[in-house]
Amino acid sequence: MNTPAPACACGIALVLLLLLAVPQTSTAQKNDIDIYSLTVDCKVSSRFAHTVVTSRVVNRADTQQEATFQMELPKKAFITNFSMIIDGVTYPGNIKEKAAAQKQYSEAVARGESAGLVKATGRKTEQFQVSVSVAPTAKVTFELVYEELLKRHLGVYELLLKVRPQQLVKHLQMDIHIFEPQGICSLETESTFLTNELADALTTSQNETKAHIRFKPTLSQQQKSPEQQDTVVDGNFIVRYDVNRTVSGGSIQIENGYFVHYFAPEGLPTIPKNVIFVIDKSGSMQGKKIQQTREALNKILDDLSPKDQFNLVSFSREATQWMPSLMPASSENVAKARSYVSGIQAQGGTNINGAMLMAVQLLDKANQEELLPFGSVSLIILLTDGDPTAGVTDPKKIQKNVQDAIGGHYSLFCLGFGFDVSYAFLEKLALDNSGLARRIYEDSDSAVQLQDFYQEVANPLLTAVAFKYPSNTVEELTQENFRLLFKGSEMVVAGKLRDQGSDVLSAQVNGQLLLQNITFQTEAEVAEQEKQFQSPKYIFHNFMERLWAYLTIQQLLEKIVSASDTEKQALETRALGLSLNYSFVTPLTSMVVTKPEGQEESEVAEKPVENENSHRDIPSGHAVFRSQAMGNRKFRKTGSGSVDPWLANRGGFRRQGVNFSELGASGKIPIPPRHGLPGPVHYHHHSAHPLYDMTPDIMGVAYVPSLESSAPAGPDGVFYDMDLGIKEPTTTAPTLAPIQAPPVILPLPGQSVDRLCVDIKHSQGPMNLLSDPDQGVEVTGQYEMEKAQFSWIEVTFKNLQLQIRASPEHVVVTRNRRNSVYKWKETLFSVMPGFKMTMDKAGLLLLNSPDRVTIGLLFWDGPGQGVRLLLQDTDRFSSHVSGTLGQFYQDVLWEPPAADDDSKRTLRVDGRDHSATRQLKLDYQEKVPGTEISCWSVEL
């Protein structure tokens, strides 16, 4: 999909999580509840998203059936309306004060009914669900509406739809209308279910300020195959875009008497920071948690600027500081800190109070000794996975001690690792001290989550930011003073225009940059701004007023967390009033869902709060042991090994290119035939073959003939295999190593058949695998000699500021400091101007760009498993390509073969000679089990 991209004057980020609501189709299909129409209409107007999900179902059974409407929505979104239309009668959801709905709620729970309709389901989502009985042939329409102000996150606006109808839908359509008066400067899409075949169902149109993305697949496009009725539409659909920015960094937008002011200046230098990392090393951090923490810290330390200062405090029952004072982030000090981090071991209790006070004392000491650079910013970042168990353990006392010690001088950011820590405790601790809290989920990407959080606060741009407007023109402003502005974020102020105000709204934003006062001026003509929001296709009525109400409620709820008991009442009263006036389901309100008479009584939907236990990890399952058959022979598996799929899936097991089922009674395997020169493969037969002893022990697994085997025992008591004619004792013989996949297979320049198999025998540290400055691509990797595999391979596209890092655990895509994590074999289809990234269910990740070399990454789980690199269209490499692998795409000279042995040759690359030998290898470019190929093997 080619999308025009006007020049960006900014690097702005917007995050919208929109997850699709569908009837619970596993139940629907069984009960003949058919979804015949499912539509999603999302209007994003000046960062405010208004989403309407409509599902129409019919009961095709002869009896009454239950239809379940189920969807996921962003945690930050507020539901504003839900209704069901049954036989022409509308049953609405009514939003009430939570206390007023509590009686209904309690009675429903007492009856054992599912009264809470909304629950947290994922890192960023909540699930809404309601069920209703449907008469035969009757139709039901479900409609749910929710709204959210999109927040800028690491420079990207992101719209995510989770599409899971789980059945074919006759009319399936998603429309996303985006209107940004500042101008849309880039637009890209990504999906975990789109394929090249399904891509035709996606259309995108864009002009300077508007974009329309539509996904409308036909029934045949939704099918996995013509024979299957299952749908391929199952996963995430994402839209990302950026907007233009003026020199002032501000944009004021006005609609129907309300305004919003967005502020995110570009081009400002980063303010030096003084940062203390406070790391929990208690016993509960043992294992993967402490390993991921060390991994993330090492990456974070590498990202420190030489102008920064830092220190580390680790704690269990006692707190320990790495150095007695703050240290400059020089390469030497960072290396020492990395060494210290690598030695952190987890054991003991959890003394959060002692560790936090030690961190504050380090900053206080540096401040008193005038060692903090003028105008620098001081931050404390706490990572813990449990509640305090040593020292001061009362959470309220810890919160007071820390707040008194910080005294408003520093910002505190709290990261809760997993669900054994009280998030409410950490949230208040952070908000009391001008910071924020974040939960780190226990998963393979925990280290990436930690790095992402650090990137959010890594680059302070302004301090003491204040917004000012003429007092006679505006009223009822949201928060207008902010402690810090970080690169990639955005400050938002909204308010109401006074009735007899000026025709021009002017604004002044003051802040400090390295102790220098800096002022930004912005103004907007009211009438001109009002005209911009008059297109009904892209705008919903009074959206700016609802944006103001949404932002006000969110800020009030945040203030309630850190407010005193006397202040809370007034804050809650105002937030409740706004929630009811604008029909928002918030933590202070509930939505009563009415149902037809005679069905289960009304249900209550409530906004979940951050739950301590709702996301706990679920074990992946139990190991299953099976017996397997080879031909008509049965074998028992002993030990802990398993049959490799490359053997089990073949119609005759091959070892070194020989079919075991074709062997004679000798039980000997001839050496595989040798092959000839580069070019078309041909065989050179020798008159005699040395013989290897055959063994039934394959891949390290001992196979013992079953007592049920039809092969009779001979007079010596030994079983004989009648099919193969091989005398096979029950004891196992030495194992013959199977054919392995090499670390790298390279297509030879100008060759369509032959390939070069590269075995890496010498490696220390990261390797420069290939680099082509003309193509703007660089590939590096870390090869582990002990495991004989790459621990990671990293591809960097410098022109796109895009980096893809593949490890055995997952793939991490980094663009503009923002990380996205993808698990292997989860399909992916991502398109941006001049670049496409796809991954199929086999786990092959392809990186394509027009007129450039195609680079593939794969986690191969066949013999010789590990991360693998693939190259296509290598004739597109420039003459400047270099690197351990890139050298083979320069001028390569093949020396003539020896007269007596054409299976060995010498190739000269860049003045150096390499010995090449014809060998059989497994081609990892084919799906497991792979296929055997003959290639020229070179050791490096």
Side-chain angles (χ1 to χ4, degrees):
M1 178 185 64
N2 295 322
T3 304
C8 267
C10 61
I12 180 168
L14 163 84
V15 178
L16 164 65
L17 295 174
L18 167 63
L19 294 122
L20 187 59
V22 298
Q24 189 176 5
T25 52
S26 57
T27 302
Q29 289 170 341
K30 290 177 183 177
N31 296 344
D32 296 315
I33 295 293
D34 178 37
I35 312 166
Y36 63 89
S37 176
L38 178 60
T39 62
V40 176
D41 184 71
C42 179
K43 290 182 170 64
V44 183
S45 306
S46 185
R47 299 3 170 231
F48 194 63
H50 174 87
T51 303
V52 181
V53 182
T54 306
S55 179
R56 294 179 171 86
V57 305
V58 60
N59 179 10
R60 302 196 185 281
D62 296 331
T63 58
Q64 181 171 282
Q65 302 292 329
E66 184 177 74
T68 300
F69 176 84
Q70 184 183 87
M71 70 161 294
E72 292 177 69
L73 66 155
K75 286 183 178 179
K76 290 294 185 181
F78 290 157
I79 292 174
T80 66
N81 188 40
F82 174 75
S83 64
M84 295 181 291
I85 302 174
I86 305 174
D87 292 331
V89 180
T90 300
Y91 298 88
N94 300 310
I95 295 175
K96 300 180 178 180
E97 180 183 357
K98 183 170 286 188
Q102 189 62 46
K103 183 178 179 181
Q104 280 180 286
Y105 179 82
S106 300
E107 289 175 353
V109 171
R111 292 193 301 270
E113 296 171 359
S114 177
L117 300 184
V118 185
K119 62 181 181 180
T121 56
R123 296 182 186 181
K124 300 176 180 179
T125 60
E126 298 166 351
Q127 185 184 86
F128 175 89
Q129 178 174 306
V130 66
S131 300
V132 65
S133 296
V134 186
T137 71
K139 295 181 178 180
V140 180
T141 297
F142 299 98
E143 183 177 279
L144 185 122
V145 183
Y146 63 86
E147 295 174 342
E148 179 187 22
L149 176 61
L150 310 174
K151 186 179 179 182
R152 192 183 189 207
H153 176 76
L154 291 176
V156 174
Y157 292 94
E158 183 173 282
L159 172 67
L160 167 64
L161 301 101
K162 194 164 188 177
V163 189
R164 303 194 67 192
Q166 299 184 34
Q167 65 168 264
L168 301 178
V169 180
K170 184 177 181 180
H171 178 217
L172 175 59
Q173 182 170 331
M174 293 182 290
D175 286 284
I176 303 156
H177 296 276
I178 302 170
F179 176 56
E180 289 293 346
Q182 289 174 252
I184 301 170
C185 69
S186 70
L187 184 69
E188 62 185 69
T189 61
E190 175 184 313
S191 171
T192 60
F193 59 83
L194 270 180
T195 61
N196 287 319
E197 293 77 20
L198 196 57
D200 291 340
L202 179 67
T203 58
T204 301
S205 59
Q206 179 191 349
N207 61 24
E208 185 179 351
T209 59
K210 298 175 182 177
H212 178 206
I213 299 98
R214 169 172 288 177
F215 178 65
K216 189 178 180 180
T218 63
L219 277 172
S220 60
Q221 286 177 314
Q222 296 174 48
Q223 285 181 270
K224 284 186 176 179
S225 69
E227 299 78 25
Q228 291 181 293
Q229 293 301 305
D230 295 332
T231 178
V232 298
V233 182
D234 185 359
N236 297 334
F237 181 77
I238 301 167
V239 178
R240 297 189 182 96
Y241 69 94
D242 287 351
V243 303
N244 295 312
R245 296 218 169 258
T246 61
V247 177
S248 67
S251 173
I252 296 176
Q253 295 162 31
I254 303 168
E255 190 256 347
N256 202 31
Y258 285 80
F259 79 94
V260 62
H261 184 181
Y262 295 109
F263 180 70
E266 295 295 316
L268 297 179
T270 299
I271 299 174
K273 60 184 180 294
N274 317 295
V275 58
I276 309 289
F277 300 99
V278 184
I279 307 302
D280 186 346
K281 62 172 184 178
S282 61
S284 58
M285 288 284 289
Q286 281 185 349
K288 196 167 186 178
K289 282 186 187 176
I290 200 68
Q291 175 188 336
Q292 291 174 321
T293 300
R294 288 194 292 255
E295 178 186 338
L297 272 175
N298 281 329
K299 177 67 174 173
I300 288 168
L301 289 169
D302 286 341
D303 288 341
L304 289 171
S305 166
K307 297 180 181 179
D308 295 336
Q309 295 189 110
F310 74 106
N311 206 336
L312 298 156
V313 173
S314 59
F315 69 95
S316 51
R317 178 165 292 277
E318 301 293 337
T320 306
Q321 58 192 29
W322 168 55
M323 289 290 178
S325 60
L326 289 173
M327 303 295 291
S330 64
S331 56
E332 181 181 358
N333 287 335
V334 166
K336 291 179 180 177
R338 285 172 58 94
S339 178
Y340 173 79
V341 166
S342 299
I344 293 178
Q345 301 296 324
Q347 59 182 356
T350 308
N351 188 346
I352 294 175
N353 187 77
M356 287 303 306
L357 296 184
M358 178 178 287
V360 176
Q361 289 166 6
L362 282 167
L363 289 172
D364 284 345
K365 178 186 174 185
N367 196 22
Q368 292 163 6
E369 296 175 357
E370 298 184 350
L371 297 177
L372 301 182
F374 288 114
S376 62
V377 170
S378 297
L379 313 174
I380 300 173
I381 299 177
L382 166 67
L383 171 67
T384 182
D385 78 329
D387 294 333
T389 62
V392 178
T393 57
D394 183 348
K396 290 186 177 179
K397 286 185 179 178
I398 296 174
Q399 288 165 344
K400 184 178 186 307
N401 291 345
V402 172
Q403 188 174 16
D404 290 346
I406 288 178
H409 298 300
Y410 320 123
S411 293
L412 170 62
F413 300 91
C414 298
L415 304 177
F417 206 146
F419 287 88
D420 292 327
V421 63
S422 169
Y423 187 82
F425 162 67
L426 292 182
E427 185 179 36
K428 178 170 172 54
L429 194 63
L431 292 175
D432 284 347
N433 298 284
S434 305
L436 57 87
R438 184 71 52 80
R439 191 185 295 282
I440 302 299
Y441 293 83
E442 292 185 57
D443 208 336
S444 64
D445 68 337
S446 296
V448 178
Q449 294 177 55
L450 290 168
Q451 294 166 32
D452 268 354
F453 175 81
Y454 173 74
Q455 287 298 334
E456 291 183 51
V457 299
N459 298 290
L461 299 179
L462 288 174
T463 62
V465 182
F467 289 71
K468 292 184 178 180
Y469 307 91
S471 58
N472 63 336
T473 60
V474 300
E475 59 185 348
E476 298 189 52
L477 293 176
T478 59
Q479 181 180 341
E480 46 193 317
N481 292 286
F482 302 85
R483 183 182 183 88
L484 286 168
L485 171 68
F486 293 102
K487 184 178 181 180
S489 67
E490 183 174 58
M491 289 178 173
V492 185
V493 177
K496 184 178 181 181
L497 298 178
R498 291 187 182 273
D499 291 339
Q500 302 300 322
S502 170
D503 293 336
V504 177
L505 175 60
S506 60
Q508 180 176 301
V509 183
N510 299 318
Q512 286 194 340
L513 176 60
L514 299 173
L515 286 186
Q516 293 183 347
N517 293 326
I518 184 169
T519 300
F520 299 86
Q521 297 278 358
T522 307
E523 64 177 32
E525 297 211 6
V526 175
E528 184 179 325
Q529 286 289 320
E530 291 271 13
K531 289 179 182 178
Q532 289 189 327
F533 296 102
Q534 292 178 354
S535 170
K537 185 176 180 181
Y538 284 79
I539 308 303
F540 53 98
H541 186 56
N542 287 345
F543 86 91
M544 195 74 74
E545 181 179 354
R546 298 188 64 80
L547 183 160
W548 164 83
Y550 173 97
L551 182 59
T552 302
I553 294 169
Q554 290 283 22
Q555 291 178 351
L556 288 170
L557 293 173
E558 193 173 275
K559 287 180 181 178
I560 289 170
V561 173
S562 56
S564 64
D565 292 338
T566 55
E567 296 171 328
K568 277 185 181 179
Q569 185 60 49
L571 293 171
E572 287 181 354
T573 299
R574 187 172 181 223
L576 173 61
L578 288 170
S579 299
L580 293 172
N581 288 342
Y582 291 93
S583 298
F584 286 135
V585 178
T586 71
L588 303 173
T589 57
S590 301
M591 181 173 68
V592 180
V593 179
T594 59
K595 291 188 177 183
E597 185 177 351
Q599 295 199 27
E600 182 182 290
E601 292 187 18
S602 302
E603 295 181 285
V604 179
E606 296 188 341
K607 180 78 173 172
V609 294
E610 182 69 39
N611 191 293
E612 303 302 328
N613 300 302
S614 62
H615 303 284
R616 291 187 182 277
D617 293 336
I618 299 172
S620 58
H622 304 281
V624 179
F625 294 89
R626 305 187 180 110
S627 65
Q628 293 181 288
M630 292 181 168
N632 64 352
R633 299 181 55 208
K634 295 182 180 178
F635 291 83
R636 292 195 303 272
K637 183 177 70 172
T638 63
S640 59
S642 61
V643 181
D644 265 41
W646 77 278
L647 291 174
N649 293 338
R650 302 174 72 136
F653 297 142
R654 299 184 73 84
R655 172 77 67 74
Q656 297 287 341
V658 177
N659 191 320
F660 277 49
S661 63
E662 297 171 358
L663 297 177
S666 66
K668 304 292 184 178
I669 303 176
I671 288 180
R674 294 171 175 172
H675 302 274
L677 309 178
V681 177
H682 66 274
Y683 293 88
H684 180 84
H685 296 284
H686 293 265
S687 57
H689 300 293
L691 297 176
Y692 293 158
D693 284 331
M694 176 195 166
T695 171
D697 184 6
I698 300 172
M699 297 294 292
V701 180
Y703 289 95
V704 184
S706 168
L707 295 178
E708 301 165 23
S709 173
S710 60
D716 54 359
V718 176
F719 283 94
Y720 287 82
D721 187 295
M722 304 304 292
D723 292 335
L724 301 181
I726 300 172
K727 180 176 179 180
E728 182 181 55
T730 55
T731 56
T732 60
T735 302
L736 182 62
I739 298 176
Q740 298 283 322
V744 181
I745 299 175
L746 299 177
L748 289 173
Q751 297 279 343
S752 60
V753 177
D754 235 339
R755 283 164 282 191
L756 196 67
C757 293
V758 179
D759 283 314
I760 300 172
K761 299 298 183 182
H762 306 284
S763 173
Q764 289 185 345
M767 304 170 63
N768 175 22
L769 298 177
L770 66 85
S771 177
D772 190 337
D774 293 9
Q775 294 256 323
V777 65
E778 183 176 87
V779 182
T780 56
Q782 176 84 52
Y783 191 79
E784 294 186 39
M785 297 301 300
E786 292 182 1
K787 296 182 179 179
Q789 67 177 33
F790 284 100
S791 56
W792 55 264
I793 296 176
E794 190 169 273
V795 182
T796 301
F797 295 92
K798 296 186 177 180
N799 298 338
L800 298 172
Q801 296 184 324
L802 181 68
Q803 192 176 73
I804 297 96
R805 186 183 181 96
S807 67
E809 293 76 27
H810 48 235
V811 176
V812 180
V813 178
T814 304
R815 193 177 188 201
N816 297 327
R817 304 180 299 119
R818 185 188 76 257
N819 292 316
S820 299
V821 180
Y822 307 97
K823 293 183 179 179
W824 291 108
K825 301 184 181 180
E826 288 186 349
T827 53
L828 172 67
F829 191 93
S830 177
V831 179
M832 63 186 75
F835 184 78
K836 183 169 76 170
M837 178 169 55
T838 62
M839 181 158 59
D840 60 22
K841 288 189 177 295
L844 175 59
L845 179 70
L846 289 178
L847 313 172
N848 307 88
S849 194
D851 303 320
R852 297 177 187 274
V853 176
T854 296
I855 297 176
L857 296 168
L858 171 73
F859 179 67
W860 166 258
D861 51 8
Q865 70 174 15
V867 180
R868 294 294 198 274
L869 176 72
L870 301 89
L871 298 175
Q872 298 175 8
D873 308 314
T874 54
D875 56 319
R876 295 175 179 173
F877 275 124
S878 76
S879 59
H880 300 112
V881 65
S882 61
T884 303
L885 305 179
Q887 63 178 325
F888 294 104
Y889 295 99
Q890 290 283 7
D891 292 331
V892 177
L893 177 64
W894 288 88
E895 298 289 341
D900 59 341
D901 189 354
D902 61 0
S903 67
K904 295 182 179 180
R905 298 196 64 179
T906 299
L907 66 158
R908 176 163 294 180
V909 182
D910 198 22
R912 298 180 61 185
D913 289 345
H914 298 273
S915 297
T917 307
R918 269 289 182 190
Q919 293 184 1
L920 284 177
K921 299 285 186 180
L922 270 185
D923 186 357
Y924 56 75
Q925 299 173 102
E926 301 292 334
K927 294 180 181 180
V928 174
T931 57
E932 293 172 9
I933 59 169
S934 171
C935 63
W936 289 100
S937 182
V938 173
E939 292 185 359
L940 297 179

